[in-house]
Amino acid sequence: MAVIDALTQSTRPGVGAGRAAPSERWGRLALLAPSIILLIGVFVVPLAIMLVRTFTDPHPGLENLTWYLGDATQRRVLVRTFTTAAKVTAVCLLLGYPYAYAMVAAGPKLRAVLTLLVLVPFWTSLMVRTFAWVILLQDNGPIQRALAGIGLDNLHLIRSNVGVIIGMSQILLPFLVMPLYAVMSTIDRRLVLASSSLGARPITSFFRVWLPLSLPGIGAGSLMVFISSLGFYVTPALLGSPSDALVSQQIYTQVSGLLQWGRAGAMGLVLLVATFAILAVLMLSIRRAARRQTRQAEDATS
């Protein structure tokens, strides 16, 4: 009964929509308390510790940040990390968009099979999938032999940035497909048929109708893949080489091999700030695009 009362209270006369009594607000906060405590314990506290060590280990000051920002090698690693994440996002988008559209256009049985194929990687260990790519991409592996059969025997995929991109793309592809499918499944396909009946070609209908409506899924999935790619360690460590190391590998080296916690904290801090800056720019661009579309819609109706 308490649940029914809570659901129907906003519809009662005299009760403002979205408002709740103080006791109800405290009850909602109590429900969120375990999640808040977990978030603080596993994210906020370790992040705060690394932030403190950035400015105190081994000596108080900006020594670690000065070292990291002034080292040309570390700057190249940082740029390589972001470019690799961008490439992985692009590959996942090129592969995931047609796949998500096929899930929407397919019948119930085929859609179930396609969904199962997307979800299977979630049920498999990350280490198992990465070692499977090690076997497939190794110098005498099946992919290398197939490439040698068509005259590309000089192309080495293991211990290279290309192999890292292949492995990370396969692992992160479901994180782009599912948001895309969730958005595409809500698009009214009759809009495409309507544009076709008005004389638009299929390619025009796609770019003028379907693609704009699927942009929220593209944005959400791309952000998930891009941010996840920035912190990958296992896959780049097993498929890549020291000359193609990413920031996560450099942080591991500083902590585990050199015991330089302050420098590792500086790397993490710069990576975090750069990520937030990119997200801020993207969110600003999305808001401006949404406002532009709203203005165009208002102008069209006026």
Side-chain angles (χ1 to χ4, degrees):
M1 295 299 294
V3 176
I4 296 176
D5 292 339
L7 292 175
T8 58
Q9 182 160 2
S10 60
T11 62
R12 295 176 184 174
V15 179
R19 297 181 180 179
S23 59
E24 293 183 358
R25 289 198 294 267
W26 284 110
R28 295 171 184 176
L29 290 177
L31 292 175
L32 293 175
S35 300
I36 295 175
I37 294 174
L38 180 63
L39 180 64
I40 293 175
V42 303
F43 181 74
V44 177
V45 173
L47 187 63
I49 293 174
M50 291 303 299
L51 182 63
V52 171
R53 288 192 173 187
T54 300
F55 299 101
T56 59
D57 188 2
H59 307 290
L62 301 176
E63 176 184 353
N64 295 315
L65 284 175
T66 303
W67 164 80
Y68 185 61
L69 296 176
D71 193 319
T73 301
Q74 299 300 331
R75 290 198 302 269
R76 286 196 298 269
V77 172
L78 182 64
V79 172
R80 185 187 305 123
T81 301
F82 279 93
T83 54
T84 300
K87 293 175 182 177
V88 171
T89 304
V91 171
C92 289
L93 185 59
L94 291 175
L95 297 177
Y97 196 95
Y99 193 93
Y101 181 80
M103 292 174 63
V104 175
K109 294 183 179 180
L110 181 57
R111 185 183 300 117
V113 174
L114 295 176
T115 305
L116 181 64
L117 293 177
V118 173
L119 296 178
V120 163
F122 286 110
W123 305 334
T124 309
S125 171
L126 174 66
M127 293 291 295
V128 172
R129 284 180 282 170
T130 304
F131 276 113
W133 278 112
V134 171
I135 296 174
L136 291 174
L137 299 178
Q138 63 183 341
D139 293 336
N140 295 321
I143 296 181
Q144 191 65 43
R145 290 197 297 268
L147 292 175
I150 59 176
L152 298 177
D153 51 340
N154 294 326
L155 182 61
H156 298 281
L157 300 178
I158 197 71
R159 297 182 301 277
S160 67
N161 191 251
V162 176
V164 172
I165 293 174
I166 292 174
M168 292 175 60
S169 299
Q170 186 271 332
I171 293 171
L172 294 174
L173 186 60
F175 291 96
L176 193 137
V177 171
M178 298 311 295
L180 270 175
Y181 170 71
V183 172
M184 288 184 180
S185 60
T186 62
I187 299 176
D188 190 351
R189 299 181 64 187
R190 291 177 298 181
L191 297 174
V192 179
L193 297 177
S195 64
S196 299
S197 65
L198 294 175
R201 296 180 179 179
I203 189 68
T204 304
S205 299
F206 173 78
F207 282 105
R208 297 293 297 273
V209 179
W210 186 268
L211 183 61
L213 294 175
S214 63
L215 285 180
I218 295 175
S222 298
L223 284 179
M224 290 180 63
V225 172
F226 183 79
I227 295 175
S228 300
S229 300
L230 295 175
F232 252 59
Y233 170 74
V234 174
T235 303
L238 294 178
L239 297 179
S241 65
S243 60
D244 293 320
L246 305 182
V247 171
S248 58
Q249 297 167 260
Q250 297 293 89
I251 292 176
Y252 177 81
T253 300
Q254 293 293 331
V255 172
S256 179
L258 304 177
L259 300 180
Q260 295 286 346
W261 289 87
R263 291 186 174 183
M267 293 179 178
L269 178 61
V270 172
L271 180 63
L272 185 64
V273 171
T275 303
F276 281 153
I278 292 176
L279 288 178
V281 173
L282 290 176
M283 292 302 295
L284 183 61
S285 302
I286 292 173
R287 287 185 179 181
R288 289 183 177 178
R291 292 175 182 174
R292 189 181 303 112
Q293 290 181 355
T294 303
R295 292 174 183 174
Q296 292 176 354
E298 293 176 351
D299 294 339
T301 56
S302 60

